[in-house]
């Protein structure tokens, strides 16, 4: 029997937290009763600088029931950093850790199966969505496109796996050695290695509240996964490059039309087309190179990835 810690990053989740707590309380007592996990197992909520009552709720849960604990970050650091803070903070007390979202979109019932696979020797058990029926068409296509692009670029990611996974303590000890500031956790775990397994589940709808990943955050996250980070002025160059490339296509069409109607001097079409196309490609390339320089810039600063204000747990 192992000590299980469930870590849950929370950002402005007051609407759903009571429900999440209830569901997990039932699941954990059930697992403890069935002797699948140790009695000292815990559920730790990480408050990622919420502006609402999230931290008050977490403190209340902790007061009422020592199954629950909390980590309060000094400010909002984003989902990946909050998750990392949770994983690295609890790893010394836990044998295995399961990470999941606060909104109950990840099916809690497959926790049994995860633990089972763990008992059969897996160090990492990935939760994989077997359908995206509940996602909007837009989210589904963009997410799937994202995984495909990642694959094409040679990044080893598990298709349709987000951050619902079980990891053993030794995996987390290895994770601590990955010092990168530009975090993309689901890309790191496959790199760590060890024996891994997969459980499939149906991803449900958010139990309450709204997504903390609006389109803009989602696009940014996807981009970070590929280049790892960006610096705004450099991103601007990239955007201008894209704009010019689009403009160049229009210009090329325009000059060809002019050519067809015979309103041109010899050689004009060719010069105009190459001018625009090359300009656009150059600007775009500059932007891409800039993205990587920006990434080096932030990595060399090696700033802390999270700062913990308080850790409440009864051991
Ligand atoms: N989250 C966080 N910090 C943030 C944004 C989100 O800790 O800055 C948490 C959020 O509370 C949730 C998880 O990350 O537990 C995933 O967010 P969400 O469910 O809103 O994303 P979606 O499922 O819509 O992609
Ligand atoms: Mg969600």
């Amino acid at each position: 029997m192992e000590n299980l810690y469930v870590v849950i990053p929370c950002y402005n989740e007051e609407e759903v937290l009571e429900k999440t707590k209830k569901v997990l309380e039932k699941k954990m007592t059930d697992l403890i009763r069935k002797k699948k996990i140790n009695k000292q197992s815990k559920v730790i909520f990480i408050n990622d600088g919420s502006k609402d009552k999230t931290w008050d709720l977490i403190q209340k849960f902790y007061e009422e029931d020592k199954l629950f604990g909390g980590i309060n970050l000094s400010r909002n650091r984003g989902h990946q950093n909050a998750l990392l803070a949770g994983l690295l903070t609890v790893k010394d007390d836990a044998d295995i850790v399961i990470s999941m979202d606060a909104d109950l979109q990840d099916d809690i019932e497959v926790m049994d199966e995860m633990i089972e696979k763990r008992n059969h020797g897996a160090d990492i058990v990935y939760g994989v969505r077997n359908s995206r029926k509940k996602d909007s068409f837009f989210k589904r296509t963009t997410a799937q496109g994202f995984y495909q692009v990642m694959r094409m670029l040679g990044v080893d990611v598990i298709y349709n796996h987000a951050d619902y996974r079980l990891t053993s303590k030794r995996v987390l000890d290895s994770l601590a050695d990955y010092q990168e500031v530009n975090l993309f956790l689901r890309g790191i775990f496959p790199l760590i290695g060890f024996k891994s397994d997969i459980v499939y589940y149906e991803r449900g709808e958010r139990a309450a509240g709204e997504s903390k990943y609006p389109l803009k955050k989602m696009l940014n996250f996807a981009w970070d996964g590929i280049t790892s980070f960006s610096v705004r002025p450099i991103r601007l160059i990239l955007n201008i490059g894209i704009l010019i490339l689009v403009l160049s296509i229009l210009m090329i069409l325009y000059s060809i039309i002019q050519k067809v109607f015979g309103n041109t001097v010899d050689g004009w079409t060719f010069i105009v087309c190459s001018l625009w196309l090359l300009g656009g490609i150059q600007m775009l390339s500059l932007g891409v190179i800039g993205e990587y320089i920006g990434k080096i810039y932030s990595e060399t600063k090696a700033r802390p990835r999270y700062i913990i204000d308080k850790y409440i747990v009864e051991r």
Side-chain angles (χ1 to χ4, degrees):
M1 253 194 313
E2 293 186 298
N3 227 1
L4 167 70
Y5 271 58
V6 178
V7 293
I8 305 176
C10 310
Y11 177 57
N12 295 345
E13 297 284 10
E14 63 179 10
E15 279 169 76
V16 79
L17 222 51
E18 294 269 6
K19 187 161 182 211
T20 307
K21 178 224 174 201
K22 260 194 215 110
V23 173
L24 273 165
E25 190 169 21
K26 191 162 165 288
K27 187 80 215 162
M28 292 298 276
T29 38
D30 191 44
L31 286 169
I32 292 171
R33 193 172 43 79
K34 286 195 207 141
K35 300 212 183 314
K36 292 203 170 154
I37 55 171
N38 207 320
K39 279 205 290 291
Q40 272 79 48
S41 297
K42 300 266 178 249
V43 176
I44 307 290
F45 296 99
I46 301 110
N47 176 38
D48 185 19
S50 301
K51 293 183 188 73
D52 63 4
K53 299 238 154 36
T54 299
W55 180 241
D56 298 336
L57 281 172
I58 296 170
Q59 280 174 300
K60 190 184 79 157
F61 298 162
Y62 166 72
E63 295 302 332
E64 288 168 2
D65 184 347
K66 298 305 178 204
L67 169 68
F68 297 99
I71 296 169
N72 193 35
L73 297 189
S74 63
R75 53 159 296 163
N76 180 255
R77 295 294 286 118
H79 175 220
Q80 295 288 294
N81 287 310
L83 184 55
L84 182 79
L87 293 171
L88 296 187
T89 306
V90 307
K91 78 178 169 61
D92 295 325
D93 301 317
D95 301 312
I96 46 175
V97 179
I98 292 180
S99 55
M100 65 171 71
D101 289 352
D103 56 9
L104 297 174
Q105 281 191 289
D106 305 320
D107 183 7
I108 280 180
E109 294 312 319
V110 303
M111 276 171 67
D112 297 72
E113 212 182 316
M114 283 182 164
I115 294 164
E116 200 133 304
K117 301 231 148 134
R118 159 66 183 159
N119 292 337
H120 282 93
D123 272 284
I124 306 179
V125 184
Y126 297 103
V128 170
R129 283 165 246 177
N130 54 12
S131 91
R132 280 180 174 270
K133 274 190 234 112
K134 300 267 170 60
D135 279 351
S136 68
F137 172 76
F138 181 76
K139 181 130 191 170
R140 189 166 60 234
T141 38
T142 48
Q144 277 167 355
F146 168 68
Y147 284 106
Q148 261 143 22
V149 170
M150 290 292 277
R151 280 272 168 90
M152 260 162 50
L153 292 172
V155 186
D156 191 7
V157 283
I158 310 283
Y159 192 65
N160 268 345
H161 159 71
D163 282 302
Y164 186 28
R165 75 178 80 78
L166 177 149
T167 42
S168 68
K169 181 175 153 41
R170 64 173 178 163
V171 167
L172 297 176
D173 284 337
S174 311
L175 176 67
D177 293 334
Y178 286 75
Q179 294 292 334
E180 57 226 75
V181 176
N182 307 304
L183 262 194
F184 187 68
L185 287 171
R186 64 194 77 162
I188 297 178
F189 284 102
L191 288 179
I192 293 177
F194 295 119
K195 190 171 180 287
S196 68
D197 213 328
I198 288 176
V199 296
Y200 293 92
Y201 69 99
E202 189 99 13
R203 188 162 152 101
E205 266 163 276
R206 218 174 209 286
E210 53 194 39
S211 174
K212 306 300 179 294
Y213 264 106
L215 177 64
K216 204 170 135 231
K217 249 192 201 175
M218 216 172 82
L219 287 177
N220 265 325
F221 180 52
W223 184 258
D224 284 353
I226 296 164
T227 69
S228 266
F229 212 130
S230 82
V231 166
R232 251 186 233 156
I234 306 169
R235 178 73 56 84
L236 197 66
I237 300 175
L238 185 65
N239 289 339
I240 294 170
I242 294 169
L243 195 74
I244 291 180
L245 209 59
V246 172
L247 267 176
S248 82
I249 292 166
L250 296 178
M251 272 311 284
I252 288 167
L253 285 176
Y254 170 74
S255 48
I256 290 172
I257 291 167
Q258 289 296 314
K259 170 91 182 167
V260 169
F261 287 103
N263 302 333
T264 56
V265 202
D266 267 352
W268 180 83
T269 314
F270 180 72
I271 291 178
V272 167
C273 289
S274 14
L275 190 87
W276 279 87
L277 195 66
L278 280 177
I281 291 172
Q282 275 173 4
M283 198 68 116
L284 189 83
S285 316
L286 210 62
V288 172
I289 294 168
E291 286 285 340
Y292 285 94
I293 295 178
K295 180 180 159 193
I296 296 167
Y297 169 69
S298 59
E299 290 294 349
T300 49
K301 278 190 292 196
R303 286 183 176 168
R305 295 174 288 184
Y306 56 85
I307 294 166
I308 290 174
D309 162 51
K310 208 180 248 171
Y311 179 28
I312 46 172
V313 68
E314 173 117 341
R315 265 170 278 219

